[in-house]
Each structure stands twice: as structure tokens, then as C-alpha cells.
Amino acid sequence: MRRAWFLAIGLVAASLALSACHSGNSGGPKVAVNGDSITVAAVWPINNTLAPADYVHVHAQGGLTIAQTLPELQTMLTDPEGTPNDVIVESGTNDVFQRDTTWQAALDTEVGMLASTQCVIFVNVSSYADWFGDQMGLPPLVPGVNAAIAHAVSKNPHFHLLDWDSFIKQPGNFEAYITQGPAGLAVHPNGAGRQVLANMEQQALQEDCGS
């Protein structure tokens, strides 16, 4: 049964394309956005919302765990077009889907890589990502992942939390902003949700990073 669930997840992830691009105001602050399929889904609203003020570099691919995002994150941090002033990190959902036990070590590595970055915004994981585990009678992983992200944020004054999980759990927001469907799609924002996520990222950059 577990193999069947994970195969379904893998098929959905494979259908979500790679997104990598630079756009926006080349004279503005450089913002790197690194993530998984949630970022892929929202790439156009993110670019369109941030681009008037910022020079945005988005790289995202469906199905990636935290560990699998790290090589591209390193590339983004050494971008020949300029080191990013600000970084937005959107990963962890696939660690929950795949029950990846290496997520803490990967998060620790990610935190170390970003320690000297001017401003980092961590987007936490929706509690709905635990749905597959719930169906198999497995303990939830999202609380631990989100607690570890919050702990990392509390230890570095340059790190900030965008609490997507709390937002989605507010009454009516899941129904309004999330695409509901098979194989874990209940964590992906719909059209309105993608714009809301982009708006929240823009607000975080303005309030936390001064961008």
C-alpha cells in the first residue's frame, strides 16, 4: 500500500515541470526563490508580483525534498548575475510525502548555507501534507518539520518565517485557495492561492527584508 501511495506521488511530481528564470528590475534587490512544485505552480504570480521592485531568480521543480533542492540553492547563492540579497525557501512538503527521514540533516545543511545571507524567508509546510501518512496510520511529520524551521528562524536574526500553514488553516482559506484532488494535490494553491502566496512573499520581503 505504501509503495502505491509513493508511486502516485512520484507520478504527480513528474508532471510538474522545472521552472528556472530571472526577471524583473535588474537594478533592484536580488531575490532568489528556491522550492518544489508549490513554487512551480506559483512562479508567474511570484515573478509578476516581485519583479517591479526586485530582480527575481526562481528555481523550482516538482517532487524535490529539501536535500534535493540544495545543489541548485548553492548555484543560486553563487549566481554570476549577482549574489542574492534575499532568499525565499519553499521546501519540505515532499519530505513529508515521501517520509524522508533525512529532512532534519538537510535542513541543518540548508541553514548553514544561508547563515550569511542578508535576509532569508522560510515558508513552512501545510499540515495537509500529512494526509498520506494519516491514511496509512503513520504519525504526522509536518509539526516536527515546521517546529524545526521555526527553531532555525529563532536562532538567526536574518531568518524570518512566512507561516503559510497557519494561513491555510484559517477558516475558509483551504476551500478558497487550495486545489483539491488526488495524490497530494490538496497542498497546491489554486489560481487565487498562487497570487496570495506571491503577495505574502512580497509583504515579507518588504517588512522583514526591507526590499
Side-chain angles (χ1 to χ4, degrees):
M1 179 62 73
R2 175 183 284 191
R3 182 181 179 85
W5 284 118
F6 289 169
L7 177 60
I9 296 166
L11 291 172
V12 170
S15 71
L16 296 167
L18 172 70
S19 174
C21 58
H22 290 76
S23 67
N25 178 8
S26 60
K30 293 179 174 61
V31 178
V33 185
N34 183 250
D36 52 31
S37 58
I38 294 172
T39 311
V40 172
V43 64
W44 295 115
I46 289 171
N47 275 323
N48 292 338
T49 301
L50 304 186
D54 302 316
Y55 190 52
V56 187
H57 179 191
V58 179
H59 185 282
Q61 184 173 349
L64 298 188
T65 63
I66 296 172
Q68 291 168 334
T69 68
L70 297 181
E72 184 58 34
L73 177 60
Q74 181 59 47
T75 298
M76 297 174 90
L77 293 175
T78 56
D79 189 343
E81 295 197 36
T83 302
N85 305 94
D86 311 318
V87 176
I88 300 173
V89 178
E90 299 178 329
S91 55
T93 299
N94 291 299
D95 299 79
V96 174
F97 278 173
Q98 299 173 29
R99 310 296 294 187
D100 191 327
T101 59
T102 68
W103 68 265
Q104 180 68 70
L107 178 62
D108 291 344
T109 299
E110 183 176 64
V111 165
M113 291 169 62
L114 293 166
S116 61
T117 301
Q118 177 176 302
C119 186
V120 182
I121 297 167
F122 287 88
V123 182
N124 65 8
V125 179
S126 168
S127 292
Y128 294 100
D130 267 324
W131 185 84
F132 280 108
D134 292 343
Q135 303 310 299
M136 294 182 284
L138 299 172
L141 289 184
V142 171
V145 173
N146 283 351
I149 292 172
H151 178 73
V153 167
S154 73
K155 295 296 183 181
N156 190 320
H158 303 291
F159 289 176
H160 306 276
L161 177 66
L162 193 165
D163 195 352
W164 179 248
D165 182 42
S166 291
F167 174 78
I168 290 302
K169 288 190 293 187
Q170 291 176 16
N173 282 358
F174 177 80
E175 293 79 8
Y177 299 123
I178 298 297
T179 297
Q180 299 180 51
L185 291 180
V187 299
H188 291 114
N190 60 20
R194 295 165 197 164
Q195 186 59 59
V196 166
L197 178 59
N199 292 345
M200 292 174 70
E201 291 175 353
Q202 180 188 49
Q203 182 178 4
L205 287 169
Q206 292 171 344
E207 294 182 355
D208 298 325
C209 303
S211 295

